[in-house]
Amino acid sequence: MSSAVKIVMVEDDHGHARLIEKNIRRANISNEIVHFDAGGAALDYLFSDEVRANGPMLILLDLNLPDMSGTDILARVKGDERLRRAPVVVLTTTDDKVEIQRCYDLGCNVYITKPVDYESFADAIRQLGLFLSVMQSPDIE
């Protein structure tokens, strides 16, 4: 992942957010991480001129947010001519098959279920970090 790729994390659980950031850093990824704990603020940012001007990004998206569903954010991002190429990794506690299929239908790139226990969760995020370190991100138009 090029150093210019910004990671936009939409996660309302601050404990999870800290854990995700810590384990991404452990995988030697130094990319900037911008954290939002609500969907509305994340959408405002994603559709802002700043993002429009600053190119590639990767979105880490929780589905269960206080103000809206992560699937709504996913649909908005993938429905936008400019943002649709941004890779979206759904990171959520929901392992419902229908929800998983819906996210892939909407265009999510990776769907990861957060394991309940801390160690498994930390391990899953470490693996995500390794995946991010080798992944190529497309430019945002």
Side-chain angles (χ1 to χ4, degrees):
M1 188 150 79
S2 98
S3 58
V5 176
K6 190 175 283 188
I7 298 171
V8 178
M9 175 170 42
V10 188
E11 167 64 74
D12 65 319
D13 182 317
H14 287 268
H16 284 179
R18 276 192 301 276
L19 190 64
I20 290 165
E21 182 157 0
K22 189 170 85 180
N23 285 291
I24 284 175
R25 298 294 179 226
R26 274 192 189 152
N28 290 325
I29 293 180
S30 57
N31 299 54
E32 181 183 352
I33 297 175
V34 187
H35 175 226
F36 296 95
D37 58 10
L43 278 175
D44 288 347
Y45 174 75
L46 289 169
F47 285 89
S48 69
D49 291 339
E50 181 194 338
V51 168
R52 204 173 285 271
N54 286 324
M57 74 179 120
L58 168 87
I59 301 167
L60 299 179
L61 181 62
D62 184 11
L63 293 183
N64 309 307
L65 299 165
D67 58 339
M68 66 192 304
S69 161
T71 48
D72 293 341
I73 296 173
L74 179 61
R76 293 271 310 272
V77 166
K78 292 300 183 177
D80 182 72
E81 192 55 42
R82 188 183 47 85
L83 290 176
R84 65 185 165 86
R85 284 194 195 137
V88 177
V89 176
V90 170
L91 209 55
T92 185
T93 49
T94 311
D95 64 356
D96 172 40
K97 291 273 178 276
V98 174
E99 192 75 340
I100 293 168
Q101 284 174 323
R102 185 159 168 243
C103 285
Y104 279 113
D105 287 345
L106 287 170
C108 97
N109 299 79
V110 183
Y111 189 107
I112 299 172
T113 303
K114 291 179 192 168
V116 178
D117 74 287
Y118 179 89
E119 269 314 303
S120 304
F121 183 47
D123 195 47
I125 301 301
R126 266 194 296 279
Q127 290 170 25
L128 171 67
L130 294 171
F131 170 70
L132 297 182
S133 69
V134 297
M135 187 187 120
Q136 294 292 320
S137 258
D139 282 339
I140 303 272
E141 298 283 285

